[in-house]
Coordinates of all heavy atoms in Angstrom, one line a residue:
Chain D
R45 N -48.8 -13.7 40.2 CA -48.2 -15.1 40.2 C -46.7 -15.0 40.1 O -46.1 -14.1 39.6 CB -48.8 -15.9 39.0 CG -50.1 -15.5 38.6 CD -50.6 -16.3 37.4 NE -50.5 -17.7 37.6 CZ -51.2 -18.6 36.9 NH1 -52.1 -18.2 36.0 NH2 -51.0 -19.9 37.1
R58 N -34.6 -18.5 41.3 CA -34.0 -19.0 42.5 C -34.2 -18.0 43.6 O -34.7 -18.3 44.7 CB -32.5 -19.3 42.3 CG -32.0 -20.3 43.3 CD -30.4 -20.3 43.2 NE -29.8 -19.1 43.6 CZ -29.7 -18.7 44.8 NH1 -30.3 -19.3 45.8 NH2 -29.1 -17.5 45.1
S61 N -38.0 -17.1 44.6 CA -38.6 -18.1 45.4 C -38.1 -17.9 46.9 O -38.9 -17.9 47.8 CB -38.1 -19.4 44.9 OG -38.2 -20.4 45.9
K65 N -40.5 -16.5 50.1 CA -40.6 -17.3 51.4 C -40.3 -16.4 52.6 O -41.0 -16.5 53.6 CB -39.6 -18.5 51.3 CG -40.2 -19.8 50.8 CD -39.2 -20.9 50.8 CE -39.4 -21.8 49.7 NZ -38.2 -22.6 49.4
R75 N -49.4 -16.1 50.5 CA -49.4 -17.0 49.4 C -50.7 -17.8 49.4 O -51.1 -18.4 50.4 CB -48.2 -18.0 49.6 CG -48.0 -19.0 48.5 CD -46.9 -19.9 48.9 NE -46.5 -20.8 47.8 CZ -46.9 -22.0 47.6 NH1 -47.8 -22.5 48.5 NH2 -46.5 -22.8 46.6
V83 N -52.1 -25.5 38.2 CA -52.3 -24.8 39.5 C -51.9 -23.3 39.4 O -51.0 -22.9 38.7 CB -51.4 -25.5 40.6 CG1 -50.0 -25.2 40.4 CG2 -51.8 -25.0 42.0
I85 N -51.0 -20.0 41.7 CA -50.6 -19.6 43.1 C -50.4 -18.1 43.0 O -49.7 -17.6 42.1 CB -49.3 -20.3 43.5 CG1 -49.6 -21.8 43.7 CG2 -48.7 -19.7 44.7 CD1 -48.4 -22.7 43.9
Y87 N -49.5 -14.4 44.9 CA -48.8 -13.8 46.0 C -49.5 -12.4 46.1 O -49.6 -11.7 45.1 CB -47.4 -13.6 45.8 CG -46.7 -15.0 45.7 CD1 -46.5 -15.7 44.6 CD2 -46.2 -15.6 46.9 CE1 -45.9 -17.0 44.6 CE2 -45.7 -16.8 47.0 CZ -45.5 -17.5 45.8 OH -44.9 -18.7 45.8
Chain H
dT8 P -46.2 -23.4 26.6 OP1 -46.8 -22.4 25.7 OP2 -44.7 -23.5 26.7 O5' -46.8 -23.3 28.0 C5' -48.2 -23.6 28.2 C4' -48.4 -23.8 29.7 O4' -48.0 -25.1 30.1 C3' -47.6 -22.8 30.6 O3' -48.4 -21.9 31.3 C2' -46.8 -23.7 31.5 C1' -47.5 -25.1 31.4 N1 -46.6 -26.2 31.5 C2 -46.9 -27.2 32.5 O2 -47.9 -27.1 33.2 N3 -46.0 -28.2 32.6 C4 -44.8 -28.4 31.9 O4 -44.1 -29.4 32.1 C5 -44.5 -27.4 30.9 C7 -43.3 -27.4 30.0 C6 -45.4 -26.3 30.8
dT9 P -47.8 -20.7 32.1 OP1 -48.8 -19.6 32.0 OP2 -46.4 -20.5 31.6 O5' -47.7 -21.2 33.6 C5' -48.9 -21.6 34.3 C4' -48.5 -22.3 35.6 O4' -47.7 -23.5 35.3 C3' -47.6 -21.4 36.5 O3' -48.3 -21.2 37.7 C2' -46.3 -22.1 36.5 C1' -46.7 -23.5 36.3 N1 -45.6 -24.4 35.6 C2 -45.4 -25.6 36.1 O2 -46.0 -26.1 37.1 N3 -44.4 -26.4 35.5 C4 -43.7 -25.9 34.4 O4 -42.8 -26.7 33.9 C5 -44.0 -24.6 33.9 C7 -43.2 -24.1 32.8 C6 -44.9 -23.9 34.5
dA10 P -47.8 -20.1 38.8 OP1 -48.9 -19.8 39.6 OP2 -47.0 -19.1 38.1 O5' -46.8 -21.0 39.7 C5' -47.3 -22.1 40.4 C4' -46.1 -22.9 41.0 O4' -45.4 -23.5 40.0 C3' -45.1 -22.0 41.8 O3' -44.7 -22.6 43.0 C2' -43.9 -22.0 40.8 C1' -44.1 -23.4 40.3 N9 -43.3 -23.6 39.0 C8 -43.0 -22.7 38.0 N7 -42.3 -23.3 37.1 C5 -42.0 -24.5 37.5 C6 -41.3 -25.6 37.0 N6 -40.6 -25.5 35.8 N1 -41.2 -26.8 37.7 C2 -41.9 -26.8 38.8 N3 -42.6 -25.9 39.4 C4 -42.6 -24.8 38.7
dC11 P -44.3 -21.7 44.3 OP1 -44.4 -22.6 45.4 OP2 -45.2 -20.5 44.2 O5' -42.8 -21.2 44.2 C5' -41.7 -21.7 43.5 C4' -41.5 -23.1 43.6 O4' -41.6 -23.5 42.2 C3' -40.1 -23.5 44.1 O3' -40.2 -24.2 45.3 C2' -39.5 -24.4 43.0 C1' -40.5 -24.4 41.9 N1 -39.9 -24.0 40.6 C2 -39.2 -25.0 39.9 O2 -39.1 -26.1 40.3 N3 -38.6 -24.6 38.7 C4 -38.7 -23.4 38.2 N4 -38.1 -23.1 37.1 C5 -39.4 -22.4 39.0 C6 -40.0 -22.7 40.2
dT12 P -38.8 -24.3 46.2 OP1 -39.2 -24.9 47.5 OP2 -38.1 -23.0 46.1 O5' -37.9 -25.4 45.4 C5' -38.3 -26.7 45.4 C4' -37.1 -27.5 44.8 O4' -36.9 -27.1 43.4 C3' -35.8 -27.4 45.5 O3' -35.2 -28.7 45.6 C2' -34.9 -26.5 44.6 C1' -35.5 -26.8 43.2 N1 -35.4 -25.7 42.2 C2 -34.8 -26.0 41.0 O2 -34.2 -27.0 40.7 N3 -34.8 -24.9 40.1 C4 -35.4 -23.7 40.3 O4 -35.4 -22.8 39.5 C5 -36.1 -23.5 41.6 C7 -36.7 -22.2 41.9 C6 -36.1 -24.5 42.5
dT13 P -34.0 -29.0 46.6 OP1 -34.2 -30.2 47.3 OP2 -33.6 -27.7 47.3 O5' -32.8 -29.2 45.5 C5' -33.0 -30.1 44.4 C4' -31.8 -30.0 43.5 O4' -31.9 -28.9 42.5 C3' -30.4 -29.7 44.2 O3' -29.5 -30.8 43.9 C2' -29.9 -28.4 43.7 C1' -30.7 -28.2 42.4 N1 -31.1 -26.8 42.1 C2 -30.9 -26.3 40.8 O2 -30.4 -27.0 39.9 N3 -31.3 -25.1 40.6 C4 -31.8 -24.2 41.5 O4 -32.2 -23.1 41.2 C5 -32.0 -24.8 42.8 C7 -32.7 -23.9 43.9 C6 -31.7 -26.0 43.0
dA14 P -28.1 -30.9 44.5 OP1 -27.8 -32.4 44.7 OP2 -28.0 -30.0 45.7 O5' -27.2 -30.4 43.4 C5' -27.3 -30.9 42.0 C4' -26.3 -30.2 41.1 O4' -26.8 -28.9 40.8 C3' -24.9 -30.0 41.8 O3' -23.9 -30.2 40.8 C2' -25.0 -28.5 42.2 C1' -25.9 -27.9 41.1 N9 -26.6 -26.7 41.6 C8 -27.2 -26.5 42.8 N7 -27.8 -25.3 42.9 C5 -27.7 -24.8 41.6 C6 -28.1 -23.5 41.1 N6 -28.9 -22.6 41.7 N1 -27.8 -23.3 39.8 C2 -27.1 -24.2 39.1 N3 -26.6 -25.4 39.5 C4 -27.0 -25.6 40.8
dA19 P -21.1 -7.2 42.0 OP1 -22.1 -6.3 41.4 OP2 -19.6 -6.9 41.7 O5' -21.3 -7.3 43.5 C5' -22.5 -7.9 44.0 C4' -22.4 -8.1 45.5 O4' -21.5 -9.2 45.7 C3' -21.8 -7.0 46.3 O3' -22.8 -6.8 47.4 C2' -20.5 -7.4 46.7 C1' -20.6 -8.9 46.8 N9 -19.5 -9.8 46.6 C8 -18.6 -9.7 45.5 N7 -17.6 -10.7 45.6 C5 -17.9 -11.4 46.8 C6 -17.3 -12.5 47.4 N6 -16.2 -13.1 46.9 N1 -17.9 -12.9 48.5 C2 -19.0 -12.3 49.0 N3 -19.7 -11.3 48.5 C4 -19.1 -10.8 47.4

Side-chain angles (χ1 to χ4, degrees):
Chain D
R45 329 177 50 157
R58 206 190 64 70
S61 158
K65 268 183 212 158
R75 179 181 190 270
V83 68
I85 292 172
Y87 294 92

